[in-house]
């Protein structure tokens, strides 16, 4: 029997009733069909899920499918079609090594290529949706292959059509369009610009950008490492809330506010948590707020899923009490309520 704590970066979670690891598209579809009407949980790297201590009463399908196809045009760039089970950061590193540019700021994000479109992964000013042209999926409802164009994916901040229809679409392959080049996309994140010694909006060499991003991530415990308990997390536990201008005006001036083009305002969940009274290093049982990044809830050693959920509840309730804003989990909760 597979214990899900062995397959998640939080290292918590009980047993799966059934666990299968699948390496090809045909195996993925066969495993889904074999499960019939019983519950299915698709996982890749397990770096964005919190699974209950009681485990999962159904079939866990771990996608481990590997494939890469490249069509390179010497002038414009490359179209790369990548299997869902490929490791995201290995793919990023490969594109940069082969002379392509674009994915450098997304270096070091853990997990698989197939999960990347689900929450439209992003970091340091860029999101994966800027590079995705197509997502090939298996539609569990229609029992058929369905390919989505970029606009059909309805990408937004940490969201997509797939996330809005949980469990329906299983990503089989993702197609990316990236350009040939040695200069990064514009650096739009102040902390990264400072580290690289460039102005906001400037470009930097892709290799140096990757190194800078990896260093910044490591300094925040946002780079997976067996030795660094601060990285035994699922990344940012909550999304940054998007609120109306009126609600934003009611917050103290010190609260970081990022105006969006639709007139709403994105605010920092980390700032809200810290200013509601929770701090780096706060603990519940074996769960601890990262000592480096207040938005990451971690397993300090021996944590249960209940400990992590309790810590999350505490943060969410304090923010609600102090600021009237409800934090929403970015992490996918499996049998856990907060
Ligand atoms: C230390 C750390 C740092 C992180 N930093 C970032 C960051 O900077 N930016 C960011 O956006 N995220 C970040 N994350 C979150 C995580 O890396 C991403 O969400 C990643 O895409 C998850 O990939 P995964 O393969 O581990 O997905 P899993 O955790 O296995 O699954 C996540 C969700 O996607 C679904 N899923 C997985 N694969 C498929 C598939 N093939 N088809 C359909 N559904 C699927 C699962 O059912 C689940 O709902 C971080 C996580 C950690 C631990």
């Amino acid at each position: 029997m597979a214990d899900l704590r062995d397959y998640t970066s939080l290292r918590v979670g009980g047993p799966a009733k059934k666990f299968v690891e699948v390496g090809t598209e045909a195996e993925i579809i066969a495993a889904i069909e074999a499960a019939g009407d019983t519950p299915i949980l698709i996982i890749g790297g397990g770096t964005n899920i919190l699974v209950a201590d009681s485990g999962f009463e159904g079939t866990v399908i771990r996608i481990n499918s590997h494939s890469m196809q490249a069509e390179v045009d010497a002038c414009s760039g490359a179209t790369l079609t990548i299997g869902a089970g490929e490791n995201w950061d290995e793919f990023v590193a490969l594109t940069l090594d082969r002379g392509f540019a674009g994915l450098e700021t997304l270096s070091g994000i853990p997990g698989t290529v197939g999960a990347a479109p689900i929450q439209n992964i992003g970091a340091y000013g860029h999101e994966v949706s800027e590079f995705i042209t197509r997502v090939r999926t298996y539609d569990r409802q229609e029992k058929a292959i369905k390919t989505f164009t970029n606009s059909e994916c309805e990408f937004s901040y940490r969201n997509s059509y797939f996330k809005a229809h949980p469990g329906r679409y299983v990503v089989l392959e993702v197609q990316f369009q990236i350009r040939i080049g040695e200069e990064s996309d514009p650096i739009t994140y102040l902390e990264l610009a400072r580290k690289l010694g460039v102005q906001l909006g400037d470009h930097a060499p892709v290799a140096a950008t990757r190194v800078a991003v990896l260093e910044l991530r490591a300094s925040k415990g946002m780079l997976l490492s067996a030795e660094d308990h601060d990285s035994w997390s699922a990344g940012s536990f909550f999304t940054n809330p998007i609120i109306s201008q009126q609600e934003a005006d009611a917050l103290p001036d010190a609260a970081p506010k990022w105006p969006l083009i639709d007139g709403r305002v994105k605010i920092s969940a980390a700032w809200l948590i810290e200013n509601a009274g929770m701090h780096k290093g706060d603990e519940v049982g074996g769960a601890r707020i990262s000592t480096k990044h207040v938005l990451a809830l971690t397993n300090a050693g021996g944590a249960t899923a209940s400990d992590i959920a309790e810590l999350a509840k505490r943060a969410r309730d304090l923010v609600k009490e102090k600021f009237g804003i409800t934090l929403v989990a970015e992490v996918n909760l499996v049998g856990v309520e907060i």
Side-chain angles (χ1 to χ4, degrees):
M1 194 180 283
D3 249 331
L4 292 171
R5 70 171 60 87
D6 297 333
Y7 295 92
T8 66
S9 52
L10 270 168
R11 302 176 195 220
V12 299
K17 187 168 181 195
K18 192 167 175 212
F19 184 93
V20 282
E21 189 140 357
V22 284
T24 65
E25 194 169 303
E27 284 175 18
I28 297 172
I29 296 170
I32 293 167
E33 293 314 322
D37 292 333
T38 60
I40 290 176
L41 171 65
I42 304 286
I43 63 167
T47 65
N48 203 23
I49 52 174
L50 170 59
V51 182
D53 297 314
S54 55
F56 185 71
E57 261 302 300
T59 305
V60 174
I61 301 176
R62 184 170 193 243
I63 298 197
N64 200 3
S65 56
H66 297 270
S67 64
M68 287 202 189
Q69 289 163 38
E71 275 175 49
V72 183
D73 176 328
C75 305
S76 56
T79 302
L80 304 173
T81 307
I82 312 297
E86 293 288 351
N87 177 280
W88 171 258
D89 189 49
E90 286 174 15
F91 164 59
V92 171
L94 187 80
T95 64
L96 304 180
D97 284 350
R98 298 272 166 93
F100 300 109
L103 300 178
E104 54 282 348
T105 60
L106 304 180
S107 291
I109 300 179
T112 55
V113 167
I118 304 290
Q119 72 152 5
N120 182 19
I121 56 168
Y124 296 99
H126 291 279
E127 292 180 335
V128 73
S129 54
E130 296 165 47
F131 309 96
I132 290 179
T133 43
R134 286 194 156 67
V135 179
R136 181 177 154 86
T137 70
Y138 181 69
D139 178 348
R140 289 177 54 202
Q141 194 168 307
E142 296 294 326
K143 297 188 189 306
I145 300 287
K146 177 162 169 56
T147 299
F148 289 76
T149 60
N150 180 293
S151 65
E152 287 170 336
C153 294
E154 296 181 2
F155 288 122
S156 59
Y157 165 65
R158 295 300 171 276
N159 211 347
S160 70
Y161 187 85
F162 314 114
K163 196 164 177 182
H165 295 82
R168 176 161 176 186
Y169 300 98
V170 179
V171 175
L172 302 172
E173 272 179 353
V174 185
Q175 191 186 73
F176 301 85
Q177 177 72 48
I178 48 176
R179 65 186 165 80
I180 294 170
E182 288 174 4
E183 290 287 291
S184 71
D185 274 0
I187 304 295
T188 57
Y189 200 89
L190 187 59
E191 190 185 25
L192 180 59
R194 282 194 181 134
K195 185 153 178 80
L196 285 162
V198 301
Q199 299 294 315
L200 274 183
D202 279 357
H203 304 263
V206 286
T209 306
R210 175 171 168 83
V211 170
V213 166
L214 292 178
E215 285 177 8
L216 284 173
R217 294 188 71 93
S219 72
K220 297 175 187 176
M222 283 293 181
L223 206 54
L224 274 190
S225 154
E227 289 78 45
D228 182 3
H229 273 261
D230 280 329
S231 78
W232 292 24
S233 75
S236 298
F237 198 91
F238 298 104
T239 54
N240 288 320
I242 295 177
I243 59 177
S244 68
Q245 183 67 57
Q246 206 181 357
E247 289 170 302
D249 290 343
L251 289 173
D253 288 345
K257 298 169 191 167
W258 301 290
L260 302 178
I261 39 174
D262 64 6
R264 293 182 301 161
V265 181
K266 196 199 275 184
I267 49 170
S268 162
W271 187 92
L272 292 172
I273 293 171
E274 280 200 300
N275 287 276
M278 282 190 87
H279 304 289
K280 291 172 189 161
D282 283 358
E283 292 179 357
V284 170
R288 181 171 68 197
I289 295 191
S290 162
T291 63
K292 304 188 185 87
H293 190 331
V294 81
L295 209 43
L297 307 190
T298 70
N299 180 347
T304 61
S306 307
D307 293 341
I308 307 272
E310 199 45 49
L311 190 60
K313 265 186 224 161
R314 203 172 279 184
R316 188 207 48 198
D317 291 350
L318 279 171
V319 167
K320 179 77 182 167
E321 217 172 278
K322 177 99 194 244
F323 299 108
I325 293 171
T326 305
L327 293 178
V328 174
E330 176 180 316
V331 173
N332 297 277
L333 305 175
V334 180
V336 174
E337 278 184 27
I338 65 161

